[in-house]
Amino acid sequence: MEVTLLGTGDTTGTPTAGCGCDTCEAARQRGVERSRFSVHVHNERTGESLLVDCSPDFRHQFLGEDVPLPDEAVVSHIHFDHLDGLGNAYRLLDSFPVYAADETDPETGESVAETVRSKFDYLDRVTVHPQTPFEAFESCGFEVTLVPVDHPPLVCYGLTVRDPETGATLALSGDSSYAIPDDSRAALADADLLLVDGIVPARLCEYHPLGGTHEADDGTPRTFGTKHMTFEGARALADDLNAADYRIVHVSHFPTPEEAFAEDVAVDGERYTL
């Protein structure tokens, strides 16, 4: 499988519109970007492409990267930066199957699949296919499994994408705190490549109203507030899960340039063959 990181940023992206901070300026000078989150997974055997999350930067991403339009998609949760690009199916795709979890979210009273269906009911090309977490389903010739993670107050899912012929496996933590349940950790373990949520370095937890949580033995917070991992938490999770390789994604513009462009912190356009 060929994995292309279409979007590696948080909800505002980097550079952030209207921002002249050192990190946004450094991104401009380097000619790099972190648009809103999305991952393209191409199956060379079947010629099909799976899109993980539908970024509102969909058009920009597919114009900028030399990858085919997706045949199918999976949606991890209903925050706009992972979902609202689905509207690009209009006049662009003849059909677009979308997979999402079937569990009812106590916060919304409906599942992710139901929310996708109701929000985009005007798109006749989009068909929603509810899936049960931890149960593998086929998409684009891959075995895909939704894995519950921890992103309060909404339900959210990481996932694995496995090539059944080669065994190559991509894992995504999804938007999550460090408090991913043990059964989910087991499902995400031992991937060839792990894309792991990390929004800021732990030192910035002092600026969050809720501080940092899930501290390591030395007191370093592995979660920024309640929803996203710190860089330190992301690195710890990659180690916990025994990933052969990992990249930190869903990155904000608040780290310093040195932190934001560290070796293991992804930028848009990176490609991996698994």
Side-chain angles (χ1 to χ4, degrees):
M1 70 176 74
E2 185 174 70
V3 179
T4 303
L5 309 188
L6 296 179
T8 55
D10 70 342
T11 188
T12 67
T14 302
T16 293
C19 183
C21 75
D22 289 347
T23 296
C24 288
E25 288 300 323
R28 294 183 183 102
Q29 291 168 9
R30 292 167 179 249
V32 298
E33 188 172 358
R34 291 190 175 113
S35 59
R36 273 73 68 88
F37 185 79
S38 189
V39 178
H40 186 277
V41 189
H42 183 67
N43 188 332
E44 301 96 325
R45 288 185 291 101
T46 68
E48 298 171 289
S49 295
L50 174 66
L51 187 65
V52 179
D53 284 340
C54 297
S55 168
D57 295 315
F58 183 110
R59 178 179 180 275
H60 173 70
Q61 291 169 348
F62 278 91
L63 285 173
E65 301 298 335
D66 183 20
V67 294
L69 288 171
D71 296 283
E72 302 184 346
V74 58
V75 172
S76 65
H77 66 299
I78 63 171
H79 280 154
F80 94 98
D81 54 324
H82 296 257
L83 175 61
D84 281 11
L86 189 54
N88 287 271
Y90 182 65
R91 293 185 179 175
L92 196 61
L93 304 172
D94 292 332
S95 66
F96 199 33
V98 177
Y99 302 93
D102 62 3
E103 294 180 313
T104 299
D105 187 338
E107 186 72 18
T108 66
E110 58 184 14
S111 68
V112 175
E114 289 169 329
T115 299
V116 174
R117 182 181 288 120
S118 63
K119 185 169 184 178
F120 295 96
D121 60 353
Y122 64 93
L123 293 174
D124 57 5
R125 290 168 172 81
V126 172
T127 55
V128 180
H129 302 267
Q131 301 296 324
T132 301
F134 293 120
E135 294 185 7
F137 59 93
E138 190 276 334
S139 176
C140 297
F142 298 123
E143 293 175 354
V144 181
T145 305
L146 290 164
V147 180
V149 292
D150 181 61
H151 190 53
L154 299 177
V155 295
C156 184
Y157 303 86
L159 64 147
T160 60
V161 181
R162 181 179 180 273
D163 186 322
E165 292 201 9
T166 67
T169 303
L170 168 70
L172 300 92
S173 73
D175 282 17
S176 184
S177 79
Y178 182 75
I180 296 175
D182 288 343
D183 53 353
S184 296
R185 286 172 175 252
L188 295 168
D190 301 317
D192 295 288
L193 176 64
L194 171 67
L195 303 180
V196 59
D197 172 48
I199 197 164
V200 294
R203 66 176 183 80
L204 294 180
C205 288
E206 66 175 294
Y207 299 105
H208 194 290
L210 299 177
T213 53
H214 307 125
E215 292 87 354
D217 290 342
D218 64 359
T220 300
R222 291 176 288 196
T223 297
F224 179 67
T226 62
K227 295 182 179 183
H228 296 278
M229 279 177 271
T230 61
F231 287 3
E232 291 83 348
R235 290 165 181 145
L237 184 69
D239 185 60
D240 294 345
L241 299 184
N242 193 38
D245 194 9
Y246 75 94
R247 302 295 285 158
I248 298 174
V249 296
H250 209 278
V251 179
S252 74
H253 68 127
F254 296 113
T256 66
E258 293 74 22
E259 294 165 328
F261 300 109
E263 185 176 356
D264 59 355
V265 185
V267 296
D268 292 6
E270 294 182 9
R271 293 196 184 197
Y272 299 88
T273 299
L274 307 184

